Structures are given as structure tokens and as C-alpha cells.
Amino acid sequence: AAIDAKSISGLTVTKYKTSLELNRNSTFTLAVSDTYNNSLMNSYQSTALSLDLLAKPSADGRVVQIENTVAAEDDYWVDYNSAKGDWEETTEPGISPGFDNSTMPHRLYKKDGGNWEFGPIPWEDRLVGSVTNNPAPSFIGQPIKASFYYNDRLGFLSYANVVMSRTKSVYNFFAETQLAALDTDPVDLNANTTRPCNLFEVIVQQQGVVLFGTRQQFYLSAPETGVLTPSRALIKQISNYEINEDIAPLDVGTTIGFVSRMPDYSRLMLMQGDGLEVDPVVVDISKVVTGWLPKVTIMSASSQNSFVALADRDTRNLYIYRFYNDGQEDKMQAWQRWELQGNIKACTIADDLMYFITEQSGVHSTSVISLN
């Protein structure tokens, strides 16, 4: 009633249960006080020190910044939802909601009707916070080298960064809330040590993920619980081998095979490790044929058949390493070389069958060989 009696030009008053909202087209100064040492009344416009200072109900969609302290990192934003009758977390006004789906990885998926479709992924938006306290993942603006799936999370490699989505929400790379650090939030780690690394491939294992860089290799795991979370995820350097990043390392049963390229020949390396506490053992399995392998550009493997095939694209020779392991050690090892009828373009192994694409006199052919 006292405000109404003032008859201030252009001032309108909206009355809520516990608050008054004052609006005017021109700026004005508001001073609020009471006779109880100013403990019963307060005012705010677009910022407040804490959430408990905000009135309920309020105007639907009203956005207020909660400052907490002078540090920007603990600021968060809320808006009033009249349908729920409460304040909810939201994003800082004016910031980008998330990703440009056209420049992000795409997917090939099977629709309900049985047809396949290739297109952009429906990545989830940033719903709370700001670019400071809920930033975009570190792969934004950088090339993505590899992807993987582990612990109900989708992961990407980008230079030295390992980025994993929220748990059971593989298309969401933003934190769920600014009010607490959750174990389900995204994981974003950097693997750089005393020298920069360039991660390009992963091999997922039961206890963690082996990360392969061109000059260093790492192990991503959660040693204490076995479940990756933002606070418990740990990257440990496990070896320092130079690897040809054009050839992805392959799981060969009890070991991992990768190719190390020398100036004029290649080496096949096998890595075997027990996971978290023991550093892996890496063996140059091609030592007995040093200099025999060419500059390899193709590798395929079959763990069921204890079989690794290597080739230099656009040549006719296929180099094969076979072994027999009784569960404890290799009882037999052998190297062979096959000469095909045309230049090898591609090679892969599936269901005990080896598939080739070869080229001879401008004609491309597909060949299939049974390993048994």
C-alpha cells in the first residue's frame, strides 16, 4: 500500500505470496530495510548470494545468478519453474548450449523399421553452469583420433586428452549439476608427461584401457574401485615405444600386437601385462627375422587362431606370424611369407576366414581363405 501511494511514474508492482516484484522502464534505486536489523527483508535483481534468499513463488522463467563467493568457479544460475513451484539450475544466459552436431562424429544405426541410417548424433546440450565451471570437453576444436566404449561411457582420444561421457548417457559430455561433484559426471584427463604425447588408439581390457601414443603408452584405470569416475580415474605411463600410428594395435588374445617402424624395415611387438599394478612386458617378436619385414602398412590378427598377418600395401607379399600358447607360455612360434597373385589393398580376419582385396592389371578382386 505504501508503494502504491508513492505513485512513482512508470512503476508497476506484481504481488506474490512472499515477495513484490517492481518493474520500471527506466533505472531506479531500491533500498530495502526493516526494524529487525534488516533480517526479515532482502532484495535482488539478477544476482543473489545464496539460493535461500530467493522468493517462492516468482515470475516463471526468471533467471538469477547465485554468486556464493567472489570466485567465479562456484557461481551457478537458476530459473523459476512455475509448474514445479521451485527454482531449478540452468545455464548462464547467452552461452552456447553445446555442440554443433554437423562437425561432431556421426553414427550409422539401425532404425526401428530395420533400415540403416547415417547422420548426425543427437548430442545432449549443456543444461547447467557456464563455460567456466561446466566447460566443453577438451576435444572441441581438435581432431578426434579414436573412439571407444568402457564402463558405460563413450570415450574419445584427442592429442593427449582422454574424454569420456557421463555414465549411461553416452551422448552427454557436460556435468549434470553445479551443486555437487557426481561420480557419473564426464571424465576429461590429459596424458602429457615430461614430453608431449599424441594418442591415436586404445585397447579396452577388463581392468582398464591401454592408451597408445606414437612415443608413449599409458594405462587408464581406477585402481581403488575399478569403476572410472572423475575423481578416481588415473592415467599411468607404462612404456616408451615408438609406434607406427598408421596401423592400429590389435588384441592377439593374451597379448597386444603393434608395429614399430624403423627407417627401412618394421618390427612386430607384443605387449603382455596384468593390468593395474604390474608394468607390461613388451617383446620384439620379430627379432629372429630382423630386417625381413618391410615397411608394414596393413596388420590383421585372429586371437582364436594365434595368428598375425602383416603386409605392405600395393605389394604381393603377406608376412605371417603364428604361435601356440598353452595358457602359460608360447610353445611354438613360426614366421611365413605368402606371395599373392596381385598387389594387396586390404586384409582382415573374421570367423576363421581371411579376406583379401588385391589388384592385378587394374582389376580388383576379393579372395577368401580358411585358416583351418
Side-chain angles (χ1 to χ4, degrees), residues 19 23 33 155 169 179 201 214 228 242-243 261 283 296 308 313 337 350 366 368:
S19 65
N23 288 278
S33 62
S169 184
L179 303 180
E201 191 56 83
T214 52
L228 288 180
E242 294 190 4
I243 301 179
R261 180 182 292 176
V283 178
V296 172
V308 180
R313 188 174 282 107
R337 181 173 63 190
T366 300
V368 182

Side-chain angles (χ1 to χ4, degrees), residues 8-237:
I8 300 174
S9 175
L11 182 69
T12 60
V13 181
T14 304
K15 301 176 182 179
Y16 294 100
K17 183 178 180 179
T18 62
S19 65
L20 300 174
E21 181 178 293
L22 310 181
N23 288 278
R24 191 183 185 193
N25 291 332
S26 57
T27 57
F28 64 95
T29 301
L30 174 68
V32 175
S33 62
D34 59 54
T35 56
Y36 289 87
N37 197 27
N38 300 331
S39 62
L40 299 182
M41 299 180 66
N42 70 286
S43 66
Y44 57 88
Q45 187 172 359
S46 59
T47 62
L49 289 178
S50 63
L51 184 62
D52 58 7
L53 296 178
L54 303 187
K56 292 189 294 187
S58 185
D60 186 52
R62 173 168 299 287
V63 177
V64 179
Q65 178 183 353
I66 306 301
E67 293 182 318
N68 285 312
T69 65
V70 294
E73 291 77 11
D74 62 1
D75 292 359
Y76 64 97
W77 286 258
V78 293
D79 66 350
Y80 188 76
N81 187 326
S82 59
K84 296 182 179 179
D86 206 351
W87 295 89
E88 295 183 324
E89 277 192 88
T90 188
T91 56
E92 178 184 6
I95 67 169
S96 168
F99 302 145
D100 179 356
N101 291 357
S102 65
T103 64
M104 285 285 289
H106 285 37
R107 65 177 179 177
L108 178 67
Y109 69 103
K110 194 172 185 180
K111 302 173 69 176
D112 292 339
N115 296 325
W116 289 86
E117 181 174 301
F118 178 77
I121 293 174
W123 303 99
E124 298 189 38
D125 290 338
R126 179 196 284 115
L127 299 180
V128 301
S130 66
V131 295
T132 301
N133 53 31
N134 194 7
S138 56
F139 61 72
I140 293 299
Q142 308 292 338
I144 292 175
K145 296 296 187 70
S147 62
F148 61 98
Y149 187 78
Y150 182 72
N151 263 184
D152 291 329
R153 298 176 185 263
L154 174 64
F156 292 125
L157 301 185
S158 180
Y159 289 128
N161 297 311
V162 184
V163 187
M164 302 180 71
S165 69
R166 279 166 47 179
T167 302
K168 297 181 179 180
S169 184
V170 296
Y171 297 151
N172 196 329
F173 284 85
F174 294 103
E176 182 178 351
T177 177
Q178 294 301 290
L179 303 180
L182 304 180
D183 287 345
T184 56
D185 281 345
V187 175
D188 198 329
L189 300 174
N190 187 286
N192 275 332
T193 56
T194 55
R195 50 182 179 173
C197 69
N198 183 19
L199 302 175
F200 67 93
E201 191 56 83
V202 305
I203 294 291
V204 174
Q205 297 182 328
Q206 183 177 359
Q207 293 180 311
V209 180
V210 184
L211 308 172
F212 289 90
T214 52
R215 300 176 63 188
Q216 296 169 294
Q217 294 74 54
F218 304 86
Y219 199 74
L220 170 64
S221 63
E224 296 178 359
T225 62
V227 179
L228 288 180
T229 67
S231 60
R232 296 188 179 94
L234 176 67
I235 294 181
K236 172 187 176 184
Q237 183 180 345

Side-chain angles (χ1 to χ4, degrees), residues 297-300 309-318 340 342-349 353-359 364-369:
T297 56
I298 298 174
M299 179 171 68
S300 58
L310 306 107
D312 183 14
R313 188 174 282 107
D314 294 325
T315 67
R316 296 192 173 200
N317 291 326
L318 182 74
L340 277 67
N343 291 333
I344 302 172
K345 296 292 186 179
C347 172
T348 189
I349 301 171
L353 297 174
M354 177 177 283
Y355 296 84
F356 295 98
I357 295 178
T358 58
E359 182 267 333
H364 289 78
S365 304
T366 300
S367 305
V368 182
I369 300 174

